[in-house]
């Protein structure tokens, strides 16, 4: 199903892959489990089909994903931009995974917009941009990994799924569904997981690698943040966590250490809307999560130049960290989320 009026369905792109091609795959900046999982699963699959594949992450891979099969093959654009640009220039086809607007790749935005090769999107976010020629855009899907699984099946290649591909797809489905509990965890997700389990994956180990690989300082940082930096707005069924650069320096916070932080307030009875405001070197980043009928994708789009999914979205602010917090509180009192 095409996601916009310009994009053709994925079936129309299949002839492009009928002979060996140079393929460039990328994902969004600050990649998460679904971004890296989907990119690596597709990397393994297209390589197995005889293509020459280069996978580029716009920024470095968090350490809790470094164990993933093929992670050592990834090019980090921020560290090796020349290599990534050379791969893009010689590519015949571009795949974009787990995002639908090139601005989400940050520093690769312009070069991707200017690239003339066919662009194929595999994604599950709302409101895709109109420059993709082909793709699958399914906001009802749990994860981009589930979309990659569908893509492999549409290609008629279910039998080609290896343990490595299955492990990668398991990571994205697991992380984007909050370990198979969010509403997007449909029967089709469980059917896919059953299929992936049949390829010999070690799901207990995967869970441990992703969730039980914290440093001691990350754990203490979480304790500090929940005590000192979380505000609960009972009246609005909402909560806010704010992370300043100073706080993060104090605990030597590493890339990936803030992953999942925004979800903690949703475990408080009555809290239906959680926000994380993070002060970064060059911007103020926002993460939004909700339970039930409060559309945080719309909220992010309207107020913070962002987007995402109905119950999980993100955005950014051009104001200072402190001004962003006050601005957020003003909006909260105006909209009174339920
Ligand atoms: P996170 O809070 O984990 O950064 O992002 C949550 C969801 O919102 C993800 O699916 C992510 O792709 C999307 N998202 C995060 N930041 C942005 C943004 O700045 N713009 C858009 N359009 N989506 C975002
Ligand atoms: Mn995703």
């Amino acid at each position: 199903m095409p996601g916009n009026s310009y994009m053709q369905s994925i079936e129309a792109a299949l002839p492009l892959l009928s002979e060996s091609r140079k393929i460039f795959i990328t994902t969004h900046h600050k990649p998460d489990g679904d971004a890296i999982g989907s990119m690596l699963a597709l990397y393994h699959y297209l390589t197995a089909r005889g293509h020459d594949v280069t996978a580029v992450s716009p920024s470095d891979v968090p350490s809790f994903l470094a164990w993933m099969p093929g992670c050592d093959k990834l090019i980090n654009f921020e560290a090796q931009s020349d290599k990534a640009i050379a791969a893009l220039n010689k590519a015949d086809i571009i795949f974009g995974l787990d995002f639908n607007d090139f601005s989400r790749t940050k520093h690769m935005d312009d070069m991707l917009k200017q690239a003339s090769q066919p662009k194929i999107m595999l994604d599950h976010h709302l409101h895709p941009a109109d420059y993709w020629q082909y793709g699958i855009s399914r906001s009802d899907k749990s994860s981009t990994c589930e979309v990659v699984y569908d893509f492999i099946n549409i290609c008629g290649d279910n039998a080609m799924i290896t343990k490595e591909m299955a492990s990668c797809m398991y990571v994205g489905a697991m992380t984007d569904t909050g370990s198979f509990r969010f509403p997007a965890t449909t029967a089709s997700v469980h059917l896919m997981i059953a299929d992936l389990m049949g390829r010999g994956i070690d799901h207990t180990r995967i869970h441990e690698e992703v969730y039980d690989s914290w440093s001691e300082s990350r754990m203490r940082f979480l304790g500090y943040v929940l005590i000192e930096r979380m505000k609960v707005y009972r009246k609005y069924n909402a909560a806010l966590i704010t992370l300043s650069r100073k706080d993060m320096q104090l605990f030597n916070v590493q890339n990936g250490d803030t992953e999942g932080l925004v979800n903690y307030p949703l475990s408080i009875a009555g809290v239906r809307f959680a926000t994380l405001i993070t002060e970064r070197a060059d911007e103020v980043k926002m993460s939004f999560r909700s339970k039930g009928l409060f559309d945080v994708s719309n909220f992010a789009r309207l107020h913070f130049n962002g987007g995402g999914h109905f119950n999980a979205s993100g955005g950014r602010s051009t104001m200072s960290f402190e001004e962003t917090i006050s601005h957020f509180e003003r909006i909260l009192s105006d909209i009174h989320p339920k």
Side-chain angles (χ1 to χ4, degrees), residues 63-336:
S63 60
F64 68 91
L65 300 172
W67 61 273
M68 289 179 67
C71 217
D72 53 323
K73 305 278 197 320
L74 292 178
I75 296 174
N76 168 6
F77 184 79
E78 284 177 350
Q80 292 180 288
S81 57
D82 290 352
K83 214 170 156 184
I85 291 167
L88 179 67
N89 288 339
K90 69 169 192 183
D92 302 312
I93 300 168
I94 298 168
F95 272 89
L97 275 74
D98 202 35
F99 71 97
N100 58 24
D101 187 319
F102 290 142
S103 63
R104 299 273 350 269
T105 66
K106 209 164 179 179
H107 305 300
M108 294 164 67
D109 187 5
D110 287 341
M111 62 184 240
L112 287 167
K113 274 192 187 125
Q114 280 156 22
S116 56
Q117 297 96 326
K119 295 169 182 131
I120 306 176
M121 167 180 55
L122 300 178
D123 183 51
H124 68 135
H125 292 93
L126 296 159
H127 311 296
D130 59 14
Y131 36 64
W132 302 92
Q133 276 87 31
Y134 309 97
I136 306 178
S137 172
R138 289 282 299 266
S139 60
D140 58 322
K141 288 285 175 178
S142 64
S143 53
T144 302
C145 280
E146 191 186 352
V147 174
V148 169
Y149 176 77
D150 291 348
F151 172 67
I152 295 173
N153 287 334
I154 290 167
C155 293
D157 287 329
N158 183 275
M160 283 181 71
I161 296 176
T162 59
K163 181 179 170 182
E164 284 70 32
M165 295 173 210
S167 299
C168 294
M169 289 188 277
Y170 188 90
V171 168
M174 175 183 82
T175 52
D176 266 24
T177 59
S179 297
F180 311 107
R181 69 198 160 103
F182 296 155
T185 318
T186 57
S188 75
V189 176
H190 289 290
L191 288 168
M192 169 180 79
I193 297 300
D195 188 10
L196 300 182
M197 302 269 291
R199 316 294 164 135
I201 63 170
D202 185 343
H203 65 280
T204 304
R205 185 185 149 246
I206 293 173
H207 202 282
E208 280 180 18
E209 293 279 8
V210 172
Y211 293 114
D212 302 338
S213 57
W214 291 34
S215 62
E216 182 182 333
S217 69
R218 178 178 175 181
M219 185 61 81
R220 295 194 189 282
F221 178 63
L222 170 64
Y224 167 80
V225 165
L226 295 181
I227 291 173
E228 300 289 341
R229 297 289 180 251
M230 181 178 71
K231 201 164 162 185
V232 177
Y233 308 82
R234 290 273 167 210
K235 205 166 134 192
Y236 309 129
N237 304 312
L240 170 68
I241 294 177
T242 53
L243 300 181
S244 69
R245 291 189 71 199
K246 213 165 136 204
D247 282 341
M248 291 188 284
Q249 279 158 4
L250 197 65
F251 285 84
N252 188 25
V253 169
Q254 302 295 305
N255 184 17
D257 283 359
T258 58
E259 187 77 36
L261 211 54
V262 63
N263 293 307
Y264 282 90
L266 292 177
S267 293
I268 302 170
V271 172
R272 315 283 292 168
F273 174 39
T275 297
L276 172 69
I277 302 180
T278 309
E279 184 184 25
R280 286 193 187 153
D282 52 349
E283 64 180 4
V284 176
K285 171 80 176 80
M286 327 269 296
S287 284
F288 307 105
R289 300 291 186 272
S290 69
K291 278 177 166 175
L293 298 178
F294 183 58
D295 179 356
V296 290
S297 164
N298 201 31
F299 181 85
R301 226 154 30 99
L302 273 179
H303 302 290
F304 293 103
N305 196 27
H309 313 281
F310 195 93
N311 292 127
S313 69
R316 58 213 65 247
S317 157
T318 48
M319 298 175 207
S320 72
F321 178 61
E322 291 77 14
E323 282 167 353
T324 304
I325 296 170
S326 318
H327 182 56
F328 172 81
E329 288 186 324
R330 270 195 305 277
I331 297 169
L332 196 61
S333 68
D334 286 347
I335 60 165
H336 283 257

